[in-house]
Amino acid sequence: MNTVSRGTPADRDRAVARLRSITIGTGLAGIAAVGAFGAIAAMSYDGTSASATGITTAAVAGGTTTGTTTTTTQATAAPTPIAATPAPTAATGTAHAASGSS
């Protein structure tokens, strides 16, 4: 059986230095990627939702005319209330889900 030689101390030092530089480079690349992603997200999001595009505060308040800009009130439907799911009722039979026994 052939064994691999351990190498010289200088070879091991170079390998550790190479591993250290790869680790530092990977960390810096990760930080740069997070920063770039955050910058792109900040530039592409203007803070309004798609349903509110074109509606200003004056439009919600009832419509006003300011200078050359005219805003009008847009009719919106009232939101539908969310109702709770009804509680389960006792069912006849021997199913585990209905009886709760095991």
Side-chain angles (χ1 to χ4, degrees), residues 12-67:
R12 289 191 303 269
D13 288 343
R14 280 193 300 273
V16 169
R18 194 172 31 237
L19 182 60
R20 183 176 186 270
S21 66
I22 289 171
T23 303
I24 290 172
T26 303
L28 292 176
I31 290 170
V34 169
F37 181 76
I40 290 170
M43 288 186 295
S44 63
Y45 181 66
D46 62 358
T48 59
S49 65
S51 63
T53 304
I55 301 175
T56 62
T57 305
V60 174
T64 59
T65 303
T66 306

